[in-house]
Amino acid sequence: MPLPVRVRFAPSPTGNLHVGGLRTALYNWLFARQNGGTFILRIEDTDQSRKVEGAEEQLLAALKWAGLDPDEGPHVGGDFGPYRQSERLDTYVGHARQLVDNGSAYPCFCTPERLEQLRDRQQKMGLATRYDGLCRKLPTDEAASRALAEPHVIRLAVPRDGLIILVDQIRKKVRFEWKEVDDQVLIKGDGFPTYHLANVVDDHLMDISHVIRGEEWLPSMPKHLLLYQAFGWDPPEFAHLPLLLNKDKSKLSKRQGHVAVKDFRDAGYLPQALVNFVALLGWNDQSNQEVYDLQELTAAFTIGRVQKGGAIFDTGKLRWLNGQHIRRMEASAFKAALLPHLDSQWNITDAMVAAVQSKISLLSDAREQLDFFFEEPVVYDEAARQALTHPLSRDILSSLLAKFGSAETFSGDFLLAAVKEIGADLGLKGRDLWHPIRAAIAGRVVGPDMVTIVEAFGFEKCRERITAAVSLS
RNA sequence: GGCGCAUUCGUCUAGUGGUUAGGACGUCGGCCUCUCACGCCGGUAACAGGGGUUCGACUCCCCUAUGCGCUACCA
């Protein structure tokens, strides 16, 4: 009977959720869902100086958009709250005291200046930079009394020698020498805990079974394991995810293009496409499948098949994936997703939606496919002008007008038949035949199929525009 | 500098001692076609380098190189 799976996504609220965070959240979510577990959102706001206004709301909005709803968190509650670390301060201080009492941690009175000098010296000597343990040598009673009066931090007493071989679900065994590990600060001078303490205490108190987080935490895993040991707790399983990288292979960041989830939403990407894409950056199920929905990912995901090396966040494939997901959508769902990317004044018909669903890659591509439907009067672009001044344009258009004259009812099919006849008469087909007609009616030489265009405009308007274009050609 | 992790087509990746090294995106060519797209078909392109181990290495070991991460009273 394995422990119930409880995983957490624990971002610090320093701004918009970016795609790397999205992937971490996704892997946690997938792991929870497929194991009938619980996905917890915890806000790691122990650094007062890095707080960003509204960041938590943006985070929630991004997760919701992506479909990764937390089962427990600051906004939904749960039995293990509060879920903001800033609201759990007493817990950390109490636990730190416990460690000082049992000799696993100690107060340190060293000034930042001394620490800086120490680091410089060690670096010049080619040593690992770590606290030299000056305050660790203080007699406990002296340390205790000074702690009452002087500003200080609490440090973890890390072993001086020996080594630790730890097990990561993705990287398997990794070894570290204790002498390379620093006496990590647990409680800062301002009374707030550092990430290391808060994260271990919370993960234990929240019954977290698996810690799935970014690779940047791998080097601090020995400290975390030591903390579990000092508290006498069983540690959870750990899995350190490879990083997402910029095109130049540096750790993914802003500066090099958009990385915020919100940016992708605004640019016309579907949440299911972005989720699909980040899932595949660093994971595959050994099959040749490329397009997945959340349900399929949940079924296929395994933490053991997560890649070890970092992946460059190259959006080329994302664009294609977005088109794939667009094509798979129900017409009504697609229309709902599309509307925010179009002018609210536009009277979009189902035929226009369908015309666009079969061909675009981004939702935002639809605007330039459809805008001419609503522009009055017609505006001819450069390519359209060229098509209209083609020697045969006049013949094509006046022939078409003649056919219009004899029309009893007008429809897209009528147009198709009429143009086909004209083509046969003049020995034309393809763009030579159709560009002048498109140009005349739409002002463009590219766009949705002519049946959609012509039926949206109606007989009168088509005739007017062709007449106008003939005089132009 | 120290420590750790990593390294298959341009990109995401399959591969766990014997493969014509597979797929996808991109790109190129073609087809389809009322345009542009979409779609379909085909081509292009990779095991970082050097040593071992082995009858045989992309696969195992070592070294080098390169990249990245960490090295804070940030997360």
Side-chain angles (χ1 to χ4, degrees):
Chain A
M1 53 265 85
L3 288 170
V5 166
R6 291 177 55 81
V7 294
R8 85 297 196 280
F9 176 53
S12 53
T14 54
N16 280 312
L17 178 64
H18 69 100
V19 289
L22 176 69
R23 191 190 59 169
T24 303
L26 173 65
Y27 286 4
N28 273 284
W29 186 92
L30 291 172
F31 187 72
R33 285 290 167 277
Q34 78 175 173
N35 289 294
T38 307
F39 175 61
I40 297 149
L41 175 66
R42 186 171 72 218
I43 304 297
E44 308 239 334
D45 55 352
T46 55
D47 185 1
Q48 300 161 299
S49 64
R50 295 218 312 179
K51 260 187 195 162
V52 173
E53 199 57 38
E56 192 179 314
E57 288 68 30
Q58 290 174 359
L59 199 77
L60 253 15
L63 285 179
K64 184 176 181 181
W65 179 75
L68 310 179
D69 298 309
D71 302 307
E72 294 175 22
H75 61 306
V76 285
D79 296 336
F80 298 80
Y83 293 92
R84 282 185 202 93
Q85 292 189 325
S86 59
E87 296 169 12
R88 304 169 61 85
L89 261 26
D90 293 347
T91 312
Y92 309 124
V93 174
H95 278 86
R97 193 168 298 134
Q98 192 181 319
L99 292 185
V100 173
D101 290 346
N102 74 15
S104 306
Y106 59 94
C108 171
F109 306 93
C110 293
T111 62
E113 293 72 39
R114 185 180 113 76
L115 296 176
E116 202 172 315
Q117 286 170 6
L118 181 66
R119 261 198 300 277
D120 284 351
R121 222 180 317 135
Q122 288 169 329
Q123 219 157 68
K124 281 184 185 116
M125 290 166 66
L127 299 168
T129 53
R130 58 165 289 179
Y131 181 59
D132 62 356
L134 183 66
C135 295
R136 188 167 167 176
K137 297 179 193 123
L138 259 28
T140 30
D141 51 344
E142 185 190 332
S145 60
R146 278 181 68 182
L148 260 25
E150 295 176 38
H152 64 281
V153 302
I154 304 291
R155 283 183 185 275
L156 180 63
V158 173
R160 291 293 166 65
D161 45 38
L163 70 158
I164 177 173
I165 296 173
L166 50 83
V167 178
D168 177 87
Q169 298 292 299
I170 295 169
R171 284 149 227 284
K172 309 307 170 195
K173 289 181 182 176
V174 184
R175 50 189 291 162
F176 290 90
E177 302 221 35
W178 282 119
K179 70 172 195 288
E180 305 291 347
V181 181
D182 201 4
D183 276 12
Q184 181 63 50
V185 170
L186 265 21
I187 300 284
K188 300 181 250 182
D190 63 3
F192 277 64
T194 56
Y195 169 84
H196 306 282
L197 206 225
N199 136 74
V200 165
V201 168
D202 286 345
D203 283 345
H204 177 259
L205 261 25
M206 294 181 180
D207 277 1
I208 298 302
S209 61
H210 300 258
V211 172
I212 303 170
R213 77 229 297 191
E215 187 186 355
E216 69 266 30
W217 296 110
L218 188 61
S220 45
M221 193 172 152
K223 297 167 193 171
H224 300 165
L225 254 14
L226 185 62
L227 278 167
Y228 281 99
Q229 196 184 76
F231 282 120
W233 299 336
D234 287 333
E237 300 285 344
F238 287 88
H240 288 93
L241 272 21
L243 265 18
L244 255 30
L245 311 172
N246 293 308
K247 284 198 174 57
D248 68 358
K249 296 202 173 188
S250 59
K251 185 175 168 181
L252 190 67
S253 65
K254 301 180 178 181
R255 297 303 304 255
Q256 303 202 27
H258 287 171
V259 293
V261 169
K262 184 179 182 298
D263 294 336
F264 288 93
R265 182 191 7 114
D266 295 346
Y269 290 94
L270 292 166
Q272 52 269 49
L274 187 60
V275 161
N276 188 164
F277 181 63
V278 296
L280 258 22
L281 284 181
W283 170 86
N284 74 84
D285 65 359
Q286 214 168 357
S287 75
N288 282 335
Q289 186 172 353
E290 302 284 345
V291 183
Y292 292 82
D293 61 29
L294 221 34
Q295 284 67 39
E296 292 171 311
L297 286 174
T298 303
F301 185 74
T302 42
I303 204 83
R305 287 195 59 85
V306 172
Q307 202 79 12
K308 294 191 188 76
I312 294 174
F313 189 80
D314 180 353
T315 55
K317 198 170 185 170
L318 171 59
R319 207 185 153 78
W320 170 78
L321 226 29
N322 206 60
Q324 297 300 308
H325 278 99
I326 283 174
R327 249 134 259 145
R328 269 155 223 245
M329 288 174 91
E330 296 283 345
S332 56
F334 173 69
K335 186 174 183 179
L338 184 64
L339 257 21
H341 292 272
L342 301 176
D343 197 311
S344 58
Q345 305 295 309
W346 294 356
N347 182 27
I348 304 294
T349 66
D350 288 348
M352 294 177 195
V353 172
V356 123
Q357 180 171 13
S358 64
K359 61 196 296 188
I360 61 173
S361 293
L362 302 182
L363 296 173
S364 51
D365 291 343
R367 169 172 277 275
E368 62 178 18
Q369 288 279 327
L370 301 176
D371 58 3
F372 69 87
F373 279 116
F374 310 100
E375 277 173 6
E376 205 69 58
V378 63
V379 179
Y380 305 102
D381 69 13
E382 183 52 35
R385 253 187 230 104
Q386 272 184 30
L388 289 174
T389 52
H390 186 88
L392 285 171
S393 280
R394 201 183 189 95
D395 293 344
I396 295 171
L397 294 179
S398 34
S399 304
L400 190 54
L401 273 180
K403 304 228 183 243
F404 274 16
S406 63
E408 301 201 347
T409 55
F410 181 72
S411 68
D413 286 342
F414 169 80
L415 178 90
L416 252 29
V419 175
K420 190 159 278 180
E421 286 174 33
I422 295 169
D425 290 347
L426 299 176
L428 294 173
K429 62 175 185 174
R431 56 178 74 80
D432 295 335
L433 175 62
W434 285 90
H435 273 185
I437 298 165
R438 277 187 171 274
I441 296 175
R444 298 272 175 83
V445 109
V446 302
D449 61 275
M450 284 307 297
V451 170
T452 300
I453 293 175
V454 133
E455 290 188 345
F457 281 147
F459 188 31
E460 276 316 311
K461 187 180 281 187
C462 288
R463 190 158 58 183
E464 280 167 23
R465 289 193 168 184
I466 293 170
T467 307
V470 170
S471 63
L472 227 85
S473 64

